[in-house]
């Protein structure tokens, strides 16, 4: 079994477990908001406003959504079965969606009269969507790479690794958990660099420690919105504030982080 296949097999269930507390917390906030607007929901003005704000769901949109989810779901399958790197799998998914949505058959299906009142002239291709992509994510990654280089040159990564080693001793679980919590403030790339410096001499490729590092650093980045590019995009494109995220989501994200680490350790205890 390849290292990538082993990583997916071990981290799939803990990653799903990490979603449970945040989703429960967000659902709770949504229900609380709906109860607060309960009186207004019964009024005709609210119904008219809600109908005007909600875009029509056509079968073309539903088909693209289903196709996109299916293509993304194929990425780990191709990784496990053919050893295809994930970035190539994502490019394959993008190319598949691009090809399908540009075919004449799909346009006839998506904009048939039964699909609603959507005008075929208003449709957008993948190339049109790519032109509208926000550059915040690209700039964020560029800044992260520059920051990692600066921290490495200044010796900050080495110093941080030494401090963690002194604090945690030989307790790898505690060390990886602290790395995960640190990823809420410092980006994942720099923390993975710290982990490589700390463990590359004692942990060979394929060691369970690297799976724990991957899980902890990836999950910990969601504790605050600035800890990952997804959180930055959420703030930029959806207008979610940093303080609101900390008040409404962060505690649930901490619970999800603890649950996924505990689930991984339980897997190791049961399956070895």
């Amino acid at each position: 079994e390849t290292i990538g296949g082993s990583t997916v097999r071990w981290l799939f269930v803990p990653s799903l477990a990490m979603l449970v507390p945040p989703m429960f917390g967000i659902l709770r906030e949504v229900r609380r908001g709906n109860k607060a607007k309960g009186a207004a929901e019964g009024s005709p003005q609210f119904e008219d406003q809600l109908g005007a704000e909600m875009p029509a769901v056509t079968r073309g949109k539903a088909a693209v959504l289903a196709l996109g989810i299916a293509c993304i779901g194929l990425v780990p399958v191709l990784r496990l079965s053919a050893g295809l790197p994930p970035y190539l799998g994502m490019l394959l998914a993008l190319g598949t969606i691009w090809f399908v949505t540009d075919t004449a058959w799909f346009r006839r299906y998506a904009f048939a009269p039964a699909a609603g009142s959507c005008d075929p002239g208003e449709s957008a291709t993948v190339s049109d969507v790519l032109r509208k992509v926000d550059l915040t994510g690209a700039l964020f990654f560029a800044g992260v790479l520059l920051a990692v280089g600066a921290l490495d040159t200044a010796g900050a990564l080495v110093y941080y690794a030494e401090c963690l080693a002194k604090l945690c001793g030989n307790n790898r679980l505690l060390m990886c958990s602290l790395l995960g919590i640190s990823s809420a403030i410092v980006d994942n790339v720099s923390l993975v660099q710290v982990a490589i410096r700390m463990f590359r001499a004692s942990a060979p490729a394929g060691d369970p420690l690297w799976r724990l590092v991957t899980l902890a650093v990836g999950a910990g980045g969601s504790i605050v919105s600035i800890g990952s590019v997804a959180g930055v995009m959420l703030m930029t494109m959806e207008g979610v504030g940093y303080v609101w995220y900390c008040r409404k989501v962060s505690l649930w994200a901490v619970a999800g982080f603890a649950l996924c680490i505990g689930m991984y350790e339980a897997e190791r205890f049961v399956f070895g």
Side-chain angles (χ1 to χ4, degrees), residues 38-257:
E41 289 180 359
S43 64
Q45 294 82 1
F46 180 84
E47 297 294 339
D48 294 340
Q49 181 182 3
L50 183 63
E53 292 178 355
M54 293 293 292
V57 178
T58 65
R59 62 184 184 184
K61 294 178 181 179
V64 171
L65 177 62
L67 178 63
I69 294 175
C71 290
I72 293 175
L74 282 177
V75 174
V77 175
L78 292 174
R79 176 62 180 176
L80 292 173
S81 60
L84 189 70
Y87 75 93
L88 289 180
M90 293 301 295
L91 289 176
L92 178 61
L94 175 62
T96 302
I97 296 174
W98 197 330
F99 173 78
V100 172
T101 54
D102 274 353
T103 59
W105 171 85
F106 180 81
R107 291 180 178 276
R108 287 196 302 268
Y109 170 80
F111 302 108
S117 59
C118 185
D119 183 9
E122 297 177 356
S123 63
T125 62
V126 175
S127 58
D128 296 330
V129 174
L130 290 177
R131 294 190 188 100
K132 300 177 182 179
V133 171
D134 194 274
L135 295 178
T136 303
L139 295 176
F140 178 78
F141 276 120
V144 165
L145 295 176
L146 291 174
V148 171
L151 291 172
D152 192 13
T153 303
L157 296 180
V158 177
Y159 178 74
Y160 185 67
E162 292 175 351
C163 290
L164 280 182
K166 292 179 181 178
L167 178 64
C168 302
N170 295 324
N171 192 332
R172 291 184 171 184
L173 177 61
L174 176 60
M175 195 175 300
C176 291
S177 299
L178 290 178
L179 283 175
I181 295 174
S182 301
S183 68
I185 302 174
V186 183
D187 188 72
N188 306 356
V189 177
S190 56
L191 288 174
V192 170
Q193 184 72 16
V194 169
I196 292 173
R197 287 181 174 273
M198 292 169 61
F199 303 127
R200 61 183 172 186
S202 58
D207 191 280
L209 173 67
W210 298 116
R211 295 195 291 265
L212 182 59
V213 169
T214 302
L215 182 65
V217 173
S222 299
I223 294 177
V224 297
S225 57
I226 61 173
S228 64
V229 66
V232 174
M233 296 298 291
L234 179 67
M235 295 174 64
T236 303
M237 302 184 69
E238 299 297 331
V240 175
Y242 175 78
V243 176
W244 184 93
Y245 189 95
C246 291
R247 290 176 54 200
K248 304 293 186 180
V249 182
S250 291
L251 289 178
W252 297 105
V254 171
F257 174 78

Side-chain angles (χ1 to χ4, degrees), residues 1-37:
E1 185 179 19
T2 62
I3 295 176
S6 175
T7 300
V8 172
R9 180 170 58 85
W10 279 95
L11 299 187
F12 183 75
V13 174
S15 299
L16 289 181
M18 184 194 69
L19 295 175
V20 175
M23 290 181 66
F24 173 80
I26 293 174
L27 181 61
R28 181 169 172 265
E29 292 297 330
V30 170
R31 288 180 175 177
R32 180 181 298 177
N34 289 338
K35 288 181 180 179
K37 295 186 296 184

